[in-house]
Amino acid sequence: MPKISIIIATFNAAKTLRTALDSVSGLQMKDWECVIVDGASKDNTVEIIREYVDADSRFRYVSESDKGIYDAFNKGWKMARGEWIYYLGGDDQLTPHGIPDLLANECPEFDLLGGSVFLLWLNGRQKKQLSQGYRGCHQAYLTRRTTIQQVGGFDISYKIIADFEMLTKLAVSKKYVVANYDIPIAYFFVGGESQKLGSVFTLCKERYLISGKHHLRKFPLLHFLYSFFRTLVVRIVHKALYTNR
């Protein structure tokens, strides 16, 4: 049984996928598998995946229609054989030593291991982001497969931040233990669906629903309004400063 299952959800990812898969192949450990869940891509994504599957039996894949990225994430952990689960974006890449260095700190009582990620913008700007408890980029976390199974996986009713809802669900249960380390795991491209200007309302709406579901805020509606306008301003500023230059 592999120590860790790296899951990649793809859809028409041919332009960036090789970089992600090469970074998996370059991991400085042998005891891994990579499960690629493709959503019936129309470009040559599947052809690229097959190249890696044919070259290394640790790569596996399925290609079929799905209900979005979190449906693919759920398929991935159900297919996985590893003790730990890690989700990598099809346009992101792993650091060679991050996952093995983080796994060197595992203990039986730990359900999640949190590291750090390098955030990357289109203009080349880079910033390291640390995980703090359950707060941080979802790609900073390794999670035990049994832990994901116990909480029922990702709630696919959330289209943008079901990963945040998953971490929130684990945190509020107070049943699971997370350990955080300043170990960079991946380079995370800032440009996914949750970062798009047009997704701000949906993003904030999902935060509002998650806040109500898990009783995170005393006044969730007021927080929704604050979050919406703050996020909108931040996205506009980031687009002006970091995308168009």
Side-chain angles (χ1 to χ4, degrees), residues 6 14 28 39-40 65 68-69 73 80 89 115 120 129 132 146 158 172 174-175 202 215 218 225 229:
I6 299 158
Q28 296 301 296
S65 298
I69 187 170
F73 277 11
L120 298 178
Q129 183 184 83
Q132 296 179 320
T146 52
Y158 302 106
V172 300
K174 298 183 180 180
K175 297 178 182 178
T202 302
H215 310 290
K218 189 174 182 180
L225 294 172
F229 288 110

Side-chain angles (χ1 to χ4, degrees), residues 8-23 43-45 48 52 88-93 122 189:
I8 304 177
T10 61
F11 181 71
N12 294 343
K15 291 182 179 180
T16 61
L17 184 57
R18 288 187 188 277
T19 299
L21 298 182
D22 285 343
S23 74
D43 61 3
N44 64 326
T45 295
I48 293 171
Y52 287 81
L88 179 67
D91 56 352
D92 303 322
Q93 62 187 100
L122 282 174
F189 173 65

Side-chain angles (χ1 to χ4, degrees), residues 6-24 34 36-38 43 45 48-49 69 73 86-95 117-122 137-139 185-196:
I6 299 158
I7 298 170
I8 304 177
T10 61
F11 181 71
N12 294 343
K15 291 182 179 180
T16 61
L17 184 57
R18 288 187 188 277
T19 299
L21 298 182
D22 285 343
S23 74
V24 175
C34 183
I36 306 156
V37 184
D38 181 69
D43 61 3
T45 295
I48 293 171
I49 294 170
I69 187 170
F73 277 11
Y86 179 77
Y87 289 96
L88 179 67
D91 56 352
D92 303 322
Q93 62 187 100
L94 295 171
T95 62
V117 296
F118 291 111
L119 305 178
L120 298 178
W121 281 263
L122 282 174
C137 175
H138 79 95
Q139 287 191 333
I185 301 176
Y187 295 91
F188 176 75
F189 173 65
V190 181
E193 189 62 34
S194 66
Q195 301 297 320
K196 294 179 180 177

Side-chain angles (χ1 to χ4, degrees), residues 148-221:
I148 297 175
Q149 183 177 12
Q150 286 168 10
V151 297
F154 295 89
D155 185 341
I156 65 172
S157 68
Y158 302 106
K159 304 303 180 184
I160 296 181
I161 53 170
D163 46 358
F164 169 70
E165 196 274 336
M166 165 76 80
L167 289 171
T168 301
K169 185 162 47 179
L170 293 171
V172 300
S173 73
K174 298 183 180 180
K175 297 178 182 178
Y176 302 99
V177 178
V178 58
N180 303 91
Y181 301 90
D182 185 4
I183 298 175
I185 301 176
Y187 295 91
F188 176 75
F189 173 65
V190 181
E193 189 62 34
S194 66
Q195 301 297 320
K196 294 179 180 177
L197 191 59
S199 299
V200 170
F201 179 79
T202 302
L203 172 67
C204 294
K205 178 183 176 183
E206 291 189 359
R207 283 179 181 166
Y208 167 73
L209 293 173
I210 292 167
S211 178
K213 178 180 179 181
H214 296 291
H215 310 290
L216 302 181
R217 305 283 178 179
K218 189 174 182 180
F219 302 105
L221 182 57

